[in-house]
Amino acid sequence: MSEEELDARHAEKMKKKKAARDKILATKTIEKGLLIVHTGKGKGKSTAAFGLVFRALGNGMKVGIVQFVKGKWETGERHALERFPGEVTITAMGDGFTWETQDRQRDIQAARAAWERAKAMIIDEEHDMVLLDEMNIVLRYDYLDIAEVVDFLKGRPDRKHVVVTGRNAKDELIELADLVTEMEMVKHPFRAGVKAQKGIEF
Amino acid sequence: MSEEELDARHAEKMKKKKAARDKILATKTIEKGLLIVHTGKGKGKSTAAFGLVFRALGNGMKVGIVQFVKGKWETGERHALERFPGEVTITAMGDGFTWETQDRQRDIQAARAAWERAKAMIIDEEHDMVLLDEMNIVLRYDYLDIAEVVDFLKGRPDRKHVVVTGRNAKDELIELADLVTEMEMVKHPFRAGVKAQKGIEF
């Protein structure tokens, strides 16, 4: 096929694609607060959630963040979020990863305190989006009651976006969610002996 | 089982997890620039890449961004990136989505110009991380030669992180990459008639 034929074919194909896309977009008319879940064993669950947070901040929205598991990833994000004073509220649950503390009762208390803080942010008029980072982990350990969480999220203000991250998302949460992405690990540098690096992993 | 027994069992289990994790971490000693690929049909590929960008910026790194496909998503990110003047360089390829332009020759020229700009950023001493957003799309249409791209990325400076996004990543790129995440769509709000919303989709 000549270059000219290729070009013509391409133009025709793209025209059809655009028409199909425009037709689909025309049917999408509902605006509402979304419940977004990032789960799966791959990287990028919290990272994509922080991407959403920065996008929302860039759009002039106010964001609340509750960290249910305190990890090392936070350094970079924290510094970046400092550029948005007064536009983002961050609450971290007590003490480190569960496999660092080994104290189940303390973890349960910390999870519940974090959930109370999350509820307050979800109800208030101030925040447009609330990120519940790694909440799936504490739900999986049954530190929080999934039925209570689902009930509360169902009854939240109409326009409030809520983002939940962490592997092993519970079925009840996936059922309720508007948008669920599963991050699947295809390849990980750990396999090749590469260590976690500043600016990438934390 | 009593609460005390549950706690003791949990502590034992977490101790083992931590030991296993520490052992793995001790073997990870290499520091190098990573090639990271976000692909798959799900949401979050570019969003997670922007999360990496903000994390890197938060760590004082400098970042270059080349947008191979200009879409509507950029508004929020662009405004957020404006909080980091002098720390991030953004280059956008010419004109809109390929299915908006329907002009193959113009798209090929724009893709090549964007790739030239990308190469300059990858070689220079200024940027620690370069994001090639949606480059997989133009590679898929063969607007760029995958062999040339792979060769160039192989020979890039040792400590330079490169992030490539877009569905349908080519096998050659996945083969070369250090970290590949496939974003899988589990549930999408479009299915329920919800339209793209500011702060979430763009």
Side-chain angles (χ1 to χ4, degrees):
Chain A
M1 214 183 300
S2 71
E3 273 295 298
E4 286 71 25
E5 282 168 322
L6 271 175
D7 291 348
R9 233 164 85 146
H10 177 84
E12 191 52 40
K13 200 169 141 195
M14 289 300 128
K15 207 171 148 184
K16 277 192 192 144
K17 267 204 183 182
K18 178 168 159 49
R21 198 166 160 267
D22 289 349
K23 201 171 158 188
I24 291 168
L25 283 173
T27 66
K28 312 306 173 190
T29 51
I30 304 167
E31 275 203 36
K32 64 167 213 164
L34 298 178
L35 175 61
I36 297 172
V37 177
H38 294 169
T39 191
K41 289 185 180 171
K43 307 271 302 175
K45 297 181 289 291
S46 293
T47 312
F50 273 98
L52 283 173
V53 164
F54 284 106
R55 176 181 298 159
L57 290 169
N59 278 316
M61 294 164 79
K62 295 211 171 173
V63 180
I65 300 175
V66 181
Q67 293 178 225
F68 281 83
V69 171
K70 194 178 154 193
K72 289 160 196 156
W73 55 261
E74 76 192 279
T75 333
E77 278 88 353
R78 268 194 187 268
H79 286 148
L81 290 169
E82 281 163 13
R83 302 287 177 103
F84 300 84
E87 293 153 85
V88 60
T89 319
I90 308 173
T91 305
M93 153 173 163
D95 310 281
F97 267 110
T98 43
W99 52 81
E100 297 286 345
T101 67
Q102 300 154 30
D103 183 338
R104 185 167 162 271
Q105 290 303 329
R106 197 172 66 180
D107 288 350
I108 290 174
Q109 278 175 14
R112 292 197 177 149
W115 173 238
E116 289 307 316
R117 194 70 196 86
K119 286 199 287 186
M121 281 180 181
I122 292 168
I123 289 172
D124 72 26
E125 304 256 304
E126 197 191 332
H127 299 97
D128 304 288
M129 176 187 283
V130 179
L131 165 57
L132 307 176
D133 193 44
E134 301 288 7
M135 189 170 73
N136 287 335
I137 307 277
V138 300
L139 283 168
R140 193 198 169 197
Y141 281 108
D142 294 318
Y143 290 174
L144 293 178
D145 180 34
I146 181 69
E148 185 200 328
V149 168
V150 162
D151 266 2
F152 184 85
L153 292 176
K154 262 186 201 160
R156 76 185 189 281
D158 269 2
R159 301 298 294 264
K160 185 84 63 161
H161 300 296
V162 175
V163 185
V164 181
T165 72
R167 53 171 73 188
N168 299 113
K170 293 240 177 188
D171 292 344
E172 295 91 327
L173 191 72
I174 289 178
E175 181 58 35
L176 181 66
D178 300 288
L179 172 60
V180 179
T181 304
E182 175 143 353
M183 275 68 172
E184 244 193 280
M185 192 196 300
V186 177
K187 218 173 175 187
H188 194 288
F190 264 30
R191 292 193 192 153
V194 178
K195 73 175 188 180
Q197 289 172 89
K198 185 171 158 177
I200 295 291
E201 313 278 347
F202 55 92
Chain B
M1 214 183 302
S2 72
E3 275 292 301
E4 287 71 23
E5 283 169 321
L6 272 176
D7 291 349
R9 233 166 83 149
H10 177 84
E12 191 53 38
K13 202 169 139 195
M14 289 299 128
K15 208 170 147 185
K16 276 191 193 146
K17 265 205 185 180
K18 178 169 159 49
R21 199 166 159 268
D22 289 350
K23 202 171 154 187
I24 291 169
L25 283 173
T27 65
K28 312 307 174 191
T29 51
I30 304 166
E31 276 203 35
K32 63 165 212 165
L34 298 179
L35 175 61
I36 297 172
V37 176
H38 294 170
T39 192
K41 289 185 181 171
K43 308 270 303 173
K45 297 182 289 291
S46 292
T47 312
F50 274 98
L52 283 174
V53 164
F54 284 106
R55 177 182 296 156
L57 291 169
N59 279 315
M61 293 164 81
K62 295 211 171 174
V63 180
I65 300 175
V66 181
Q67 293 177 226
F68 281 83
V69 172
K70 195 178 152 193
K72 287 163 201 158
W73 54 263
E74 75 193 278
T75 334
E77 278 88 354
R78 266 191 188 270
H79 287 147
L81 290 169
E82 281 164 12
R83 303 287 177 104
F84 300 84
E87 292 153 85
V88 61
T89 318
I90 308 173
T91 305
M93 153 173 162
D95 312 279
F97 268 110
T98 44
W99 53 83
E100 298 286 346
T101 67
Q102 301 154 28
D103 182 338
R104 185 167 162 270
Q105 290 302 328
R106 197 173 66 180
D107 288 349
I108 290 175
Q109 277 176 12
R112 292 197 176 149
W115 173 238
E116 290 306 315
R117 195 68 196 87
K119 286 199 287 186
M121 281 181 180
I122 292 169
I123 290 173
D124 72 27
E125 304 256 304
E126 196 190 331
H127 299 96
D128 304 289
M129 176 186 283
V130 178
L131 165 57
L132 307 177
D133 193 46
E134 302 286 9
M135 189 170 72
N136 287 335
I137 308 276
V138 299
L139 283 169
R140 192 198 170 198
Y141 281 108
D142 293 319
Y143 291 174
L144 293 177
D145 180 34
I146 182 67
E148 185 200 328
V149 168
V150 161
D151 265 2
F152 184 84
L153 292 176
K154 261 187 200 159
R156 77 187 189 279
D158 269 1
R159 301 298 294 266
K160 186 83 62 159
H161 301 295
V162 174
V163 185
V164 180
T165 72
R167 54 170 72 185
N168 298 114
K170 292 241 176 185
D171 291 344
E172 295 91 327
L173 191 71
I174 290 178
E175 180 60 33
L176 181 67
D178 299 289
L179 171 61
V180 179
T181 303
E182 176 142 352
M183 275 70 173
E184 246 195 278
M185 193 196 300
V186 177
K187 219 174 173 185
H188 194 289
F190 263 28
R191 291 192 194 154
V194 178
K195 74 176 188 178
Q197 289 172 88
K198 185 170 157 178
I200 294 291
E201 313 278 347
F202 56 91

